[in-house]
Amino acid sequence: MNKNSTRIKKVKLPTLKKSSTGINGFDEITLGGLPQGRPTLVSGAAGCGKTLFAMEFLVRGVTQFNEPGVFIAFEENAKELTENAASLGFELEHLIKSKKLIVDFISIDRSEIEETGEYDLEALFIRIDYAIRSIGAKRIVLDTLEALFSALPNDFIIRAELRRLFRWLKDRGMTAIITAEKGVNTLTRHGLEEYVSDCVIVLDHRVSEQISTRRLRVLKYRGSKHGTNEYPFLIDDAGFTVMPITSVEMEHKVSNERVSTGVKKLDDMLGGKGYFRGSSVLISGTAGTGKTSLAASAAIVFCSNNEKCIYVSFEESKAQIIRNMGSIGLDLKQWESKGLLKFYNSRATHYGIEMHLAIIYKMIVEFKPGLIIIDPLTTFLSVGTFMDVKAMVMRLVDYIKNNGITAVFTSLTSGGSSLEETDVGISSLIDTWLLLKDIEQNGERNRGIYILKSRGMRHSNQVREFLLTDNGIILREVYLGSAGVLTGSSRIVQEKMDEEKFIESQLEIDNLTKNLQRHKRVLEVRVEELKAEYESMEDEVIRKIKLNKDKLQRRKKEREQIAESRKVGANGSESKRKGG
Amino acid sequence: MDNSKKKKAALKNSKNGNSIKKSEIKKEKWELKLYVAGQTPRSLAAFSNLKKFCDEHLKGQYKIKVIDLLAKPQLAKGDEIVALPTLVRKLPQPIRRIIGDLSNVEKVLVGLQMKSRNGFYK
């Protein structure tokens, strides 16, 4: 028991070591690169970039991983290879001089060779061995071994020797790339896949609907997980770029930071703060509704925050966008000259959709933007079928979101189709969807904007009128009245009418107030009059009362005087009374 | 069509080749290099086959240089050697390469352009 448990603990599964190729995106598909110490077969038809792939593997090995490499060429000589590699921006001469790279051209001329009995390819081994040892190479490329089949007469010997060669390379721990031409119905013309079976990569250069696209697929990878899809790749002056856009996981980073849309009122509609950083915003609408303008204003916001922005435009040239946006007060030029804004303009039909996306992918990797604008997304429909476009755009959106980049897409809704539907069918991937709409009324078209959805935030349910002015984008509230939604001049008329009504009633109130005050003043005067009347009456009464009082008093006095006078005659008074 | 006894130097006198005898190619000097890797049975066989062949067909006018690539691997590049053993005819021009242990005399003759492929003398 005890023994067992300790043993389980000790077991540490040895995993396959990988040699990083340094090729953009390829290491991501293969989760680390090519199998270290094993041969890899790179197969493809003529002109799909096998040699360049192999060459980049070697050059990056030297420059990035300090692993010297040997290039055994059967088809091109060192000079040709150097020139070809220069087109990818690789300077071979320098690497060769500093003893980091050996290019050994083995030319076998069939016409000079006669077979006269048994032989083997020991000399090839010796040459390879010599090259490897002289620089301590870790990587080797054999391009294209199949030349041996056409150069030497005996297939059996070659096959036996190749088997030995691959075994030998493996034993020496060389990470090798063997290129092979694609056969008619087979992976390679001479069945090399039989011998090199650890890792098989297929390059393809397909033309569909007159547009060519290069694709790469990892057909087989022993002892390792790998992406199994066909990945578009491109070859340009910086070498290979494979676009590993199909991510299996949904592990988007989520940010709570909000970013302004560049339009104050629109921010207000989106809970007052704009959309989330790293979210995908779709601006859809019919032609001429202001999609580009809205996208450009988002770009301005990012650039003013010193963040980089990529503007992918398929319909307008750079100069045209700058001019047009300048006319509504959005100055893109200054940011472009400061290097914060990068344009990618291309006719959609120039490349296949995968190629476009690969280019965009490459730009993202190199430029590391905070915002990417694709204007419009629907152009892709002109270069692929609906399903293709949908799949590819989904990959792109996925990729952008995975990298925490905010994306603004515009989508042209063709007339007649439902507005709540994008032609490329990616609505479910979108976090914030702004719908621009023409509101046709009274012989004019006006722009309306509303928020179809905005995940994770309060947002307005109102339609706003969308005005493009010299000073940028302005949102106005539309007139919602008994006559329905009014925009443009009818809104203005209605608003004027409302204003007049308001003024009218204001005047009326003013009048009434004035009247009231006048009335009040009149009343006050009257009150004064009455008061005065009352006072005079009161005075009269008081006077009369006083008069009376005086009279009474006087009379009393008189009586007393009389009485007094009567008393003076002694009984006078009695007698008088008696007498009375 | 008696093939085996008729032979001829590569370029000279091609028009009346049928009547040319062994002695007539004496003027030309043959310089041969035999590339091998160590003393394997195949290398040894190639060398002895070559020796036999030369003694028979190029007596006195040949020079053989044996190069062991195990000892001097850098020499493989010069003559574009891939298979072993390889016999390189440096002279007379043009350069010819013959691979294998030289056991098939017919093919050696063709390879050294002492005889055309279809069996006719040049």
Side-chain angles (χ1 to χ4, degrees):
Chain A
M1 270 297 278
N2 205 10
K3 230 181 183 179
N4 276 350
S5 63
T6 51
R7 191 186 290 166
I8 288 166
K9 268 181 196 169
K10 266 186 190 171
V11 169
K12 205 177 177 186
L13 291 171
T15 48
L16 185 70
K17 280 192 185 144
K18 295 189 179 177
S19 266
S20 197
T21 58
I23 293 171
N24 273 336
F26 183 79
D27 293 347
E28 287 167 48
I29 299 171
T30 51
L31 309 173
L34 298 177
Q36 198 175 73
R38 298 186 184 191
T40 296
L41 181 69
V42 177
S43 147
C48 16
K50 301 185 291 289
T51 305
L52 291 180
F53 180 85
M55 185 54 88
E56 181 158 355
F57 165 71
L58 285 190
V59 172
R60 300 230 181 253
V62 173
T63 54
Q64 292 179 11
F65 309 103
N66 199 25
E67 291 190 356
V70 172
F71 196 103
I72 306 288
F74 291 91
E75 290 181 332
E76 293 166 288
N77 65 30
K79 186 170 171 284
E80 288 162 343
L81 275 170
T82 308
E83 283 167 6
N84 297 352
S87 71
L88 297 185
F90 300 138
E91 201 194 338
L92 293 193
E93 249 167 83
H94 174 71
L95 299 177
I96 293 170
K97 265 183 202 154
S98 55
K99 296 220 179 296
K100 293 286 183 194
L101 182 73
I102 285 181
V103 177
D104 193 0
F105 172 53
I106 298 182
S107 92
I108 316 166
D109 189 349
R110 182 75 164 93
S111 63
E112 289 178 356
I113 290 175
E114 189 67 43
E115 183 204 11
T116 61
E118 279 184 36
Y119 62 95
D120 57 32
L121 299 181
E122 188 61 30
L124 182 66
F125 285 63
I126 290 171
R127 283 177 78 162
I128 295 171
D129 181 58
Y130 176 67
I132 290 171
R133 265 191 297 164
S134 59
I135 56 167
K138 295 264 186 289
R139 302 177 174 208
I140 185 166
V141 169
L142 300 166
D143 179 51
T144 302
L145 265 183
E146 285 166 324
L148 290 175
F149 286 95
S150 56
L152 298 173
N154 194 329
D155 271 19
F156 294 108
I157 291 177
I158 297 173
R159 284 179 193 284
E161 287 296 279
L162 286 184
R163 196 182 289 274
R164 187 160 73 97
L165 177 68
F166 297 138
R167 191 69 251 167
W168 180 75
L169 287 173
K170 246 178 170 175
D171 290 343
R172 305 204 51 161
M174 297 297 292
T175 308
I177 287 185
I178 287 106
T179 65
E181 195 94 345
K182 191 173 156 49
V184 181
N185 283 317
T186 53
L187 201 54
T188 59
R189 198 172 286 170
H190 296 279
L192 281 182
E193 66 270 27
E194 242 175 87
Y195 314 114
V196 192
S197 40
D198 289 300
C199 180
V200 177
I201 293 160
V202 180
L203 302 182
D204 184 25
H205 195 180
R206 235 177 297 161
V207 177
S208 72
E209 306 206 351
Q210 301 166 27
I211 291 163
S212 80
T213 308
R214 295 173 192 274
R215 292 184 176 88
L216 176 147
R217 185 157 88 99
V218 180
L219 190 72
K220 174 173 179 178
Y221 200 141
R222 270 191 192 160
S224 167
K225 282 201 292 180
H226 61 88
T228 51
N229 292 352
E230 283 196 314
Y231 301 91
F233 69 91
L234 84 163
I235 302 173
D236 65 7
D237 52 5
F240 250 68
T241 305
V242 185
M243 191 181 183
I245 30 191
T246 317
S247 54
V248 189
E249 304 101 45
M250 288 251 283
E251 287 173 4
H252 304 156
K253 280 169 258 165
V254 169
S255 168
N256 280 325
E257 200 191 325
R258 301 285 278 268
V259 192
S260 166
T261 58
V263 182
K264 175 75 183 60
K265 277 268 173 103
L266 187 55
D267 291 348
D268 292 346
M269 287 173 81
L270 292 163
K273 292 178 216 157
Y275 43 75
F276 285 113
R277 175 178 293 277
S279 66
S280 47
V281 180
L282 179 72
I283 304 170
S284 74
T286 47
T289 41
K291 298 182 292 293
T292 302
S293 312
L294 211 52
S297 76
I300 298 261
V301 171
F302 269 81
C303 290
S304 344
N305 283 339
N306 227 10
E307 280 187 84
K308 289 178 183 172
C309 172
I310 292 179
Y311 196 115
V312 180
S313 168
F314 293 116
E315 291 186 338
E316 292 174 279
S317 71
K318 183 174 89 183
Q320 200 181 344
I321 292 172
I322 289 176
R323 183 200 68 193
N324 295 353
M325 292 305 112
S327 75
I328 57 163
L330 299 174
D331 183 8
L332 294 174
K333 190 157 185 70
Q334 57 159 323
W335 302 117
E336 205 226 344
S337 50
K338 278 181 190 160
L340 287 170
L341 180 63
K342 197 169 179 174
F343 282 94
Y344 167 63
N345 303 79
S346 168
R347 277 267 159 248
T349 46
H350 196 61
Y351 303 114
I353 177 164
E354 291 92 343
M355 190 69 169
H356 279 300
L357 297 186
I359 292 170
I360 293 168
Y361 166 75
K362 189 168 164 255
M363 279 176 79
I364 292 172
V365 170
E366 283 171 2
F367 197 60
K368 296 184 177 58
L371 171 74
I372 179 161
I373 295 168
I374 299 182
D375 180 26
L377 208 53
T378 30
T379 319
F380 285 134
L381 279 178
S382 62
V383 287
T385 64
F386 179 78
M387 278 313 292
D388 282 350
V389 173
K390 186 176 171 182
M392 292 308 292
V393 170
M394 266 172 98
R395 290 178 185 183
L396 178 71
V397 173
D398 244 6
Y399 177 77
I400 291 173
K401 287 184 96 170
N402 268 335
N403 283 276
I405 297 166
T406 313
V408 173
F409 306 114
T410 68
S411 165
L412 178 68
T413 313
S414 47
S417 63
S418 165
L419 284 172
E420 284 83 7
E421 187 187 314
T422 53
D423 286 340
V424 283
I426 53 148
S427 41
S428 57
L429 288 169
I430 296 298
D431 297 316
T432 298
W433 187 353
L434 308 176
L435 192 64
L436 295 173
K437 192 178 170 180
D438 271 326
I439 300 168
E440 213 176 24
Q441 216 166 35
N442 299 344
E444 58 183 51
R445 293 187 95 142
N446 294 298
R447 301 181 180 94
I449 183 171
Y450 58 94
I451 299 167
L452 206 65
K453 75 168 178 188
S454 192
R455 286 175 179 155
M457 65 177 84
R458 278 192 303 122
H459 56 271
S460 163
N461 62 351
Q462 303 285 305
V463 184
R464 293 277 192 284
E465 194 179 343
F466 180 79
L467 300 174
L468 297 174
T469 70
D470 291 348
N471 304 315
I473 298 163
I474 294 176
L475 296 192
R476 295 285 304 265
E477 295 197 14
V478 294
Y479 185 84
L480 284 168
S482 52
V485 177
L486 297 181
T487 55
S489 59
S490 45
R491 170 179 55 80
I492 293 169
V493 167
Q494 189 64 43
E495 279 173 358
K496 275 273 174 312
M497 272 161 64
D498 283 358
E499 205 177 317
E500 270 166 31
K501 261 187 199 164
F502 177 74
I503 291 169
E504 236 168 60
S505 54
Q506 196 68 42
L507 282 174
E508 211 176 297
I509 288 168
D510 284 355
N511 272 345
L512 281 175
T513 319
K514 269 181 202 158
N515 280 347
L516 193 67
Q517 277 168 350
R518 213 174 296 138
H519 198 69
K520 194 180 164 193
R521 272 203 300 280
V522 171
L523 282 178
E524 273 167 1
V525 170
R526 278 175 67 185
V527 165
E528 285 298 317
E529 269 174 22
L530 288 173
K531 225 179 180 177
E533 208 180 297
Y534 169 80
E535 274 168 9
S536 65
M537 277 165 77
E538 195 184 30
D539 285 351
E540 179 74 18
V541 172
I542 290 172
R543 196 176 53 88
K544 277 193 175 159
I545 290 172
K546 206 185 168 190
L547 220 67
N548 243 5
K549 222 177 179 178
D550 288 353
K551 228 181 201 169
L552 276 174
Q553 259 174 352
R554 224 182 306 136
R555 197 171 285 170
K556 202 178 168 188
K557 241 178 200 171
E558 276 169 6
R559 230 181 253 165
E560 274 171 13
Q561 276 171 356
I562 295 165
E564 201 64 38
S565 65
R566 285 214 186 142
K567 254 179 200 172
V568 171
N571 301 320
S573 64
E574 277 172 60
S575 57
K576 197 190 176 184
R577 221 172 275 165
K578 273 177 188 170
Chain B
M1 302 296 275
D2 190 3
N3 294 338
S4 62
K5 284 177 187 165
K6 299 170 181 174
K7 55 216 76 102
K8 178 199 149 307
L11 301 168
K12 287 193 175 176
N13 306 324
S14 56
K15 275 171 193 161
N16 43 1
N18 278 348
S19 61
I20 289 172
K21 298 228 168 99
K22 221 190 275 180
S23 57
E24 284 180 61
I25 51 173
K26 263 185 183 167
K27 293 158 212 160
E28 242 181 343
K29 219 173 142 193
W30 284 64
E31 202 179 308
L32 303 169
K33 274 188 186 172
L34 181 66
Y35 286 87
V36 293
Q39 307 244 325
T40 61
R42 200 177 285 152
S43 328
L44 295 174
F47 182 71
S48 69
N49 284 338
L50 177 64
K51 192 91 173 123
K52 209 172 103 197
F53 173 87
C54 290
D55 282 343
E56 194 179 320
H57 299 285
L58 300 161
K59 205 165 172 62
Q61 57 175 107
Y62 68 91
K63 205 165 92 187
I64 299 174
K65 199 174 172 189
V66 179
I67 295 162
D68 186 355
L69 289 180
L70 286 185
K72 291 175 176 173
Q74 67 275 20
L75 294 181
K77 181 152 183 58
D79 277 319
E80 295 296 352
I81 309 302
V82 174
L84 287 182
T86 299
L87 175 67
V88 179
R89 185 188 75 183
K90 298 293 266 185
L91 281 175
Q93 294 274 348
I95 290 178
R96 296 288 301 168
R97 291 184 186 80
I98 300 168
I99 57 173
D101 60 9
L102 310 173
S103 56
N104 188 334
V105 179
E106 277 294 302
K107 286 192 165 179
V108 176
L109 283 171
V110 175
L112 290 177
Q113 289 182 333
M114 296 168 90
K115 188 176 142 186
S116 70
R117 247 172 234 282
N118 55 21
F120 289 103
Y121 296 103
K122 267 188 176 175

